[in-house]
Amino acid sequence: MSNVKTSFWLTVLASLVIIGLPTILKITKNHEERMYLVATKKIIESAETCFYNDECLQDEITIGELKQKGYLLDVINPQTKTYFEDDLVLIWENNHVSIKK
């Protein structure tokens, strides 16, 4: 009788690991991607506000310049757990800001 119970619980445990582990990993990855998206949107929205207020007159601006103008505070990159570099360049094209790669 104890071998049957042991086999049952091992089967249940194996099933939970087989189903649960990939699910948890996928949820964690999706969460990190969304956190990165939120951080970059915050930077882009700050830059767009600067351009719409005519305080950013060139087609390129850095995060450091946005901070100096008061449009942005330090933003943490959730992938590296560090602040986005101040020399990261944002480009203004067709009334939209994008991050220069």
Side-chain angles (χ1 to χ4, degrees):
M1 183 73 174
S2 72
N3 284 341
V4 173
K5 282 185 178 182
T6 304
S7 296
F8 172 75
W9 287 113
L10 284 175
T11 304
V12 169
L13 181 62
S15 299
L16 288 175
V17 169
I18 289 170
I19 295 171
L21 188 62
T23 303
I24 290 171
L25 292 175
K26 184 175 181 180
I27 289 170
T28 303
K29 182 181 176 201
N30 287 343
H31 174 72
E32 290 174 359
E33 288 174 355
R34 280 188 247 123
M35 293 295 292
Y36 182 78
L37 183 62
V38 167
T40 56
K41 279 187 178 183
K42 184 176 187 179
I43 294 169
I44 289 171
E45 287 174 358
S46 297
E48 286 177 347
T49 302
C50 184
F51 284 110
Y52 287 137
N53 290 341
D54 292 328
E55 292 190 34
C56 299
L57 302 176
Q58 299 175 357
D59 289 342
E60 292 186 1
I61 190 166
T62 64
I63 289 179
E65 292 170 332
L66 285 174
K67 289 179 186 177
Q68 289 175 351
K69 294 178 186 277
Y71 282 96
L72 187 65
L73 299 174
D74 288 331
V75 179
I76 295 177
N77 182 340
Q79 293 176 337
T80 61
K81 308 293 189 248
T82 59
Y83 293 110
F84 281 96
E85 291 98 25
D86 285 349
D87 59 350
L88 184 66
V89 177
L90 305 164
I91 301 171
W92 175 254
E93 293 178 314
N94 302 325
N95 293 331
H96 179 70
V97 174
S98 60
I99 297 175
K100 186 174 183 177
K101 301 286 179 177

